[in-house]
Amino acid sequence: MFKRKPRSYSQMASDMVYPRGGWLRAAQYALHRLRRLPDQPHRIGRGVAAGALMSFTPLFGLHLVGSMALAWAIGGNMLASVIGSFVGNPVTIPIIAVTSLGLGRWMLGVEGSMAPAAIFEAFAAAGRQLAHNALAAFDGRVAEWDRLAHFMETIFLPYLVGGLGPGLLAAVAFHYMTVPLVSVYHARRAARLARKPPPDGA
């Protein structure tokens, strides 16, 4: 009688771009979930830092998996890394992309358009050529590498190099914001539990 109607794929995609409650509500929910994770504050902080750092890489589609792998490698909480990876969201990704790519191109001496639309079209074109080459192994088509080579030289490598510095700064900042936040929440929760009367018969 009170069953919820399953959301369509279009609704889920829309929520990823703009959550139904707005980005502020989504951020508040993520913060609430973060504080309640059952782990040590420094491990949660490392997890968030791993997610924040991965958000500054050009590994789109692998941010969640990469965040969890990095968190595991540095002894962080993997669920916290998933929350931290949302530092890269539809609102911030264009800013991150332009900043990282611009810095990387300046460092490597590479020229190219800095318009967000041009950057993401380059990612889309590289993805299409990669898919074409994967299918070419089965249907006899000729593999093409020209766009992928140009993409690696002018987009991927500069983005990767340029995102390292801002990504590390963001990771450190989020770590040092997360640890005291979680510590205070855990301390308050422990105090509330200590004030509770013991169960009958204890």
Side-chain angles (χ1 to χ4, degrees):
M1 180 178 179
F2 296 104
K3 289 183 178 179
R4 291 184 178 180
K5 183 180 178 180
R7 292 186 300 163
S8 66
Y9 289 115
S10 62
Q11 288 173 324
M12 288 188 285
S14 176
D15 287 347
M16 290 179 66
V17 175
Y18 188 82
R20 283 178 291 177
W23 280 107
L24 179 60
R25 186 177 179 86
Q28 290 172 337
Y29 177 75
L31 183 61
H32 172 73
R33 296 298 301 171
L34 185 67
R35 294 185 306 174
R36 294 174 65 88
L37 287 176
D39 205 345
Q40 300 171 11
H42 72 274
R43 281 178 48 83
I44 296 174
R46 288 178 191 170
V48 173
L53 178 57
M54 284 301 301
S55 297
F56 282 79
T57 70
L59 302 173
F60 294 112
L62 298 174
H63 280 176
L64 290 181
V65 175
S67 296
M68 295 177 72
L70 181 57
W72 175 81
I74 64 176
N77 184 286
M78 288 192 288
L79 289 178
S81 73
V82 173
I83 296 174
S85 70
F86 286 104
V87 168
N89 57 66
V91 174
T92 61
I93 281 294
I95 301 171
I96 291 173
V98 170
T99 301
S100 300
L101 185 57
L103 182 58
R105 281 178 170 171
W106 174 74
M107 294 170 67
L108 298 176
V110 176
E111 300 292 334
S113 173
M114 291 303 302
I119 296 171
F120 293 117
E121 173 55 30
F123 273 94
R128 289 193 295 268
Q129 190 162 74
L130 191 62
H132 169 87
N133 290 350
L135 293 174
F138 301 98
D139 60 15
R141 286 184 287 182
V142 178
E144 301 171 354
W145 299 99
D146 56 323
R147 278 175 289 177
L148 284 172
H150 184 262
F151 170 77
M152 292 296 293
E153 180 183 348
T154 63
I155 301 288
F156 189 88
L157 184 59
Y159 195 135
L160 186 64
V161 172
L164 184 59
L168 286 172
L169 290 175
V172 171
F174 275 96
H175 177 271
Y176 282 105
M177 286 190 294
T178 300
V179 171
L181 180 71
V182 175
S183 297
V184 168
Y185 176 80
H186 285 185
R188 289 178 177 175
R189 184 172 183 273
R192 285 198 304 270
L193 292 175
R195 288 195 300 267
K196 282 186 176 181
D200 294 339

